[in-house]
Amino acid sequence: MDITLLVLAAGMGSRYGGLKQLDKLGPSGETIMDYSIFDAIRGGFTKVVFVIRKDFEADFRAQVLSKYEGRIKTAVVFQDIHDLPEEFTCPAERTKPWGTNHAVLMAKDVIDGPFCVINADDFYGRDTFAVMGKFLKELPAGSKNTYSMVGFRVSNTLSENGTVSRGVCTTDKNNYLQGVVERTKIIRKDGQVVYLDENENWVAIPDNTPVSMNVWGFTPDYFEYSQKRFVEFLKKDINTPKSEYFIPIMVNDLIQSKKATLKVLDTTSVWFGVTYSEDRPGVVERFASLAASGEYPSKLF
């Protein structure tokens, strides 16, 4: 059975100003996704599924998918705002995608084993895929309701050029997730990491607070839970233009109802990415440095 990497690559990258998923940032023109695929192969993953928008399929297949032929199994699925359960119709004024867990649902017909979900535009580092790959490979055959996520220290996930969105986590003494709240504006101010809460107040949190960088480990039973919860979400929020069905919504439901456990896996990796166009030069420099140090080859594929 394949260990699958599910890459969420359907976002426009509005804050970045373009299709950052296809931006050539590495020494030989690599995208951030190339580094994730390279590290996933090193971590024991055997298949990769990409969630993209239909309108850039041709560019994606030519510029990205062709590189991986003979290295790892691949598949492509599409996220569309009109792809809803048959009893629902997308409101005419809706333009925003339905969120990360809607994107995950797009892959339900092409994944039949343990899988890891990541963003296309985040660099996670080799250790992230090593610890997640180990967890998924060690799951007994037919496992259900035993999930995981890689937890990053919030101080290692910030941008120097603006706020970031992170899932702020609470865990028990055995590192099982107790809850995760999506905070859409996190930044360092006056030496402290702070997030903007529901009342427009800045709240300080310790530097080592675990946050989700959207690196989740699931088994296929997760799709059934998600489909049912998506129906409930739409009944309540379909006419709210900016409502989104995030992965943490589903995860919180399963944890609070005690239907599943989710282990928070520690990593030594430090995140970086291109949330803003101003981030780009620093990312190019980081990749050049990683190649110069020998941690990655100067040409990945």
Side-chain angles (χ1 to χ4, degrees):
M1 186 171 292
D2 285 311
I3 304 297
T4 299
L5 184 68
L6 178 58
V7 183
L8 307 186
M12 277 295 291
S14 58
R15 287 180 294 181
Y16 181 64
L19 291 177
K20 58 185 173 180
Q21 294 88 350
L22 303 184
D23 198 1
K24 297 177 180 180
L25 301 167
S28 298
E30 290 85 0
T31 66
I32 289 182
M33 282 189 295
D34 289 334
Y35 286 89
S36 293
I37 306 309
F38 185 83
D39 283 333
I41 293 171
R42 293 201 286 192
F45 288 80
T46 56
K47 181 179 179 179
V48 57
V49 176
F50 298 93
V51 185
I52 66 172
R53 292 196 327 276
K54 183 68 176 176
D55 62 314
F56 76 100
E57 179 185 7
D59 284 346
F60 189 87
R61 289 188 181 278
Q63 296 181 40
V64 179
L65 217 61
S66 60
K67 290 184 281 190
Y68 309 135
E69 290 180 0
R71 300 294 299 273
I72 191 170
K73 298 177 187 176
T74 61
V76 174
V77 296
F78 306 104
Q79 185 179 22
D80 188 288
I81 61 173
H82 298 284
D83 195 337
L84 302 176
E86 59 183 29
E87 64 264 40
F88 298 97
T89 301
C90 184
E93 66 275 14
R94 180 82 188 194
T95 58
K96 190 176 184 64
W98 291 106
T100 52
N101 214 45
H102 178 254
V104 170
L105 278 171
M106 299 303 98
K108 64 183 183 300
D109 295 329
V110 296
I111 294 178
D112 61 2
F115 65 101
C116 170
V117 181
I118 65 166
N119 293 333
D121 47 15
D122 290 308
F123 176 82
Y124 295 110
R126 180 176 184 173
D127 188 62
T128 295
F129 296 95
V131 298
M132 179 58 79
K134 182 176 186 292
F135 179 89
L136 296 178
K137 285 183 288 185
E138 291 179 352
L139 287 174
S143 289
K144 294 183 178 181
N145 307 320
T146 304
Y147 307 145
S148 62
M149 62 162 277
V150 175
F152 286 73
R153 294 181 179 183
V154 66
S155 61
N156 290 336
T157 72
L158 304 177
S159 168
E160 296 179 356
N161 297 303
T163 62
V164 296
S165 296
R166 302 287 180 255
V168 178
C169 304
T170 55
T171 60
D172 67 13
K173 63 181 180 180
N174 296 314
N175 289 325
Y176 282 97
L177 188 68
Q178 300 300 293
V180 56
V181 178
E182 191 78 10
R183 299 297 182 184
T184 57
K185 291 186 177 181
I186 301 178
I187 197 169
R188 187 179 293 279
K189 283 188 174 187
D190 301 323
Q192 288 187 306
V193 179
V194 294
Y195 67 80
L196 193 66
D197 70 8
E198 298 84 352
N199 299 314
E200 299 294 311
N201 295 318
W202 290 103
V203 179
I205 52 177
D207 279 23
N208 64 352
T209 301
V211 297
S212 164
M213 294 301 299
N214 227 31
V215 183
W216 305 92
F218 299 121
T219 45
D221 51 291
Y222 182 79
F223 292 122
E224 184 177 353
Y225 288 127
S226 295
Q227 191 74 35
K228 291 178 180 177
R229 181 63 175 80
F230 189 42
V231 170
E232 296 173 12
F233 169 85
L234 291 171
K235 287 179 179 177
K236 180 176 180 290
D237 291 318
I238 191 170
N239 291 313
T240 304
K242 293 187 177 181
S243 60
E244 290 187 73
Y245 181 39
F246 291 119
I247 293 171
I249 293 175
M250 186 70 254
V251 168
N252 270 335
D253 281 0
L254 293 173
I255 291 173
Q256 299 306 319
S257 64
K258 301 190 183 303
K259 291 180 179 177
T261 60
L262 192 143
K263 185 82 169 182
V264 178
L265 308 175
D266 185 37
T267 181
T268 58
S269 292
V270 177
W271 170 93
F272 61 87
V274 283
T275 305
Y276 300 91
S277 58
E278 294 87 349
D279 293 329
R280 190 182 190 281
V283 170
V284 171
E285 185 177 336
R286 292 283 289 274
F287 282 137
S289 176
L290 288 171
S293 71
E295 189 170 343
Y296 291 88
S298 58
K299 183 176 178 59
L300 298 183
F301 295 102

